[in-house]
Amino acid sequence: MSAVYENPVAETPPDLFNAVRDCLRTLVRPAMNENAIVSGWKNQASLGPETTDFAVVTATSAIRRGTNVSTFDPETEKMTVRELVEVTLDVDFCSDTDATALTRAVALSLVARDELGVSFFEPYGIACLFADDPKRMEADEKIAFVRYT
């Protein structure tokens, strides 16, 4: 069988930031305020002047993996084309205490390495492939900073 597809539809890539933000709000404890989870690099938002309890989600790399994945729906006669991309995210947790920042980073690490994380991210079109161990980063004496990749 052969077919000619006219106007294939490119699938919209997953919204990584909102997926991670939803995960942090839903599965990671202690709970975080939605406004205290911000996107790194291209962020146009600002935190309040006295805010020391927040998380910054930053995509540090995106690498194409494999060839295009095409699917055809015979009912609608539409073809969808998508690419597989591996994205590395850093989630930096900042808090007044080491314990709070580290607890959140460890909680995210546990979720990302478990079926719970796989199931959570599946509706977003995202698959968790691996997770590094949380790392304590240098910070000033007023704020604790833990990075999770």
Side-chain angles (χ1 to χ4, degrees), residues 4-146:
V4 177
Y5 304 110
E6 294 182 18
N7 302 322
V9 176
E11 188 174 87
T12 304
D15 185 347
L16 291 173
F17 173 74
N18 283 326
V20 172
R21 184 197 64 208
D22 291 348
C23 177
L24 295 178
R25 292 180 53 228
T26 306
L27 301 177
V28 173
R29 297 291 178 260
M32 295 194 74
N33 180 326
E34 177 179 353
N35 296 326
I37 304 167
V38 297
S39 177
W41 295 105
K42 59 184 174 186
N43 180 33
Q44 297 297 318
S46 62
L47 297 166
E50 300 300 319
T51 302
T52 56
D53 190 44
F54 60 94
V56 180
V57 179
T58 307
T60 57
S61 72
I63 302 168
R64 182 184 171 104
R65 297 288 184 205
T67 58
N68 290 347
V69 177
S70 302
T71 55
F72 180 72
D73 182 352
E75 291 182 19
T76 62
E77 295 188 358
K78 289 197 177 182
M79 181 172 133
T80 301
V81 180
R82 61 187 168 103
E83 67 177 340
L84 298 175
V85 178
E86 178 183 313
V87 178
T88 301
L89 295 176
D90 282 347
V91 181
D92 298 325
F93 293 96
C94 300
S95 186
D96 292 332
T97 67
D98 279 334
T100 300
L102 185 59
T103 298
R104 287 180 176 141
V106 168
L108 182 57
S109 176
L110 288 170
V111 166
R113 294 175 175 171
D114 189 77
E115 174 61 29
L116 179 63
V118 172
S119 298
F120 183 86
F121 287 109
E122 185 177 17
Y124 294 91
I126 298 169
C128 293
L129 298 178
F130 62 90
D132 287 341
D133 293 328
K135 300 168 190 67
R136 188 184 188 301
M137 309 301 283
E138 292 301 319
D140 66 30
E141 43 199 59
K142 295 182 182 179
I143 190 167
F145 177 53
V146 177

